[in-house]
Amino acid sequence: CFDCGQNFHGAVMVALGWAEWKTYLGRSDRDRNRCQAMEVLGTTLRESRPKEAVPVLEANLALTRRFWSQDEDLILSAQANVANCLTVPGLRDKARQDEALVLRR
């Protein structure tokens, strides 16, 4: 909060995530601000609606790998966001399936 200094949370945090995403949505996939807005949306959704966050965070990871493949820290951060989301009960089966696909490659 700009007045009291507390962190935003809950519905307000999700609304801010959506607002940031809508601000940069029209930009190119290569635009770093657009990619960062997608990451913010995914991480804000992770707290309250993890099933909705997974495809957003996976798309962010795919864009990061495609356009910033040389930035290992950025890719690791995007992977960690997906992994943290998949630790939510009910999404662990998807995590196991994804892990099996990676191991087969």
Side-chain angles (χ1 to χ4, degrees), residues 78-100:
Q79 287 173 325
N81 284 332
V82 173
N84 287 335
C85 195
L86 292 175
T87 62
V88 173
L91 296 178
R92 289 192 177 117
D93 290 338
K94 178 166 179 21
R96 288 186 187 109
Q97 291 169 355
D98 290 350
E99 181 181 28

Side-chain angles (χ1 to χ4, degrees), residues 20-100:
E20 183 175 357
W21 170 242
K22 288 178 182 179
T23 299
Y24 296 107
L25 176 60
R27 294 190 180 187
S28 162
D29 285 351
R30 287 183 173 265
D31 185 87
R32 181 69 194 118
N33 290 322
R34 182 182 187 271
C35 193
Q36 189 172 9
M38 184 185 297
E39 180 181 14
V40 168
L41 175 60
T43 56
T44 59
L45 286 171
R46 181 178 66 210
E47 300 301 319
S48 58
R49 297 181 277 205
K51 286 185 181 181
E52 294 176 31
V54 171
V56 174
L57 292 171
E58 287 177 337
N60 179 61
L61 175 58
L63 285 177
T64 302
R65 284 180 172 156
R66 182 173 179 194
F67 296 118
W68 296 280
S69 59
Q70 73 287 354
D71 192 336
E72 293 179 8
D73 291 337
L74 198 59
I75 292 171
L76 186 59
S77 175
Q79 287 173 325
N81 284 332
V82 173
N84 287 335
C85 195
L86 292 175
T87 62
V88 173
L91 296 178
R92 289 192 177 117
D93 290 338
K94 178 166 179 21
R96 288 186 187 109
Q97 291 169 355
D98 290 350
E99 181 181 28

Side-chain angles (χ1 to χ4, degrees), residues 9-22:
H9 61 279
V12 173
M13 187 68 169
V14 172
L16 289 170
W18 277 111
E20 183 175 357
W21 170 242
K22 288 178 182 179

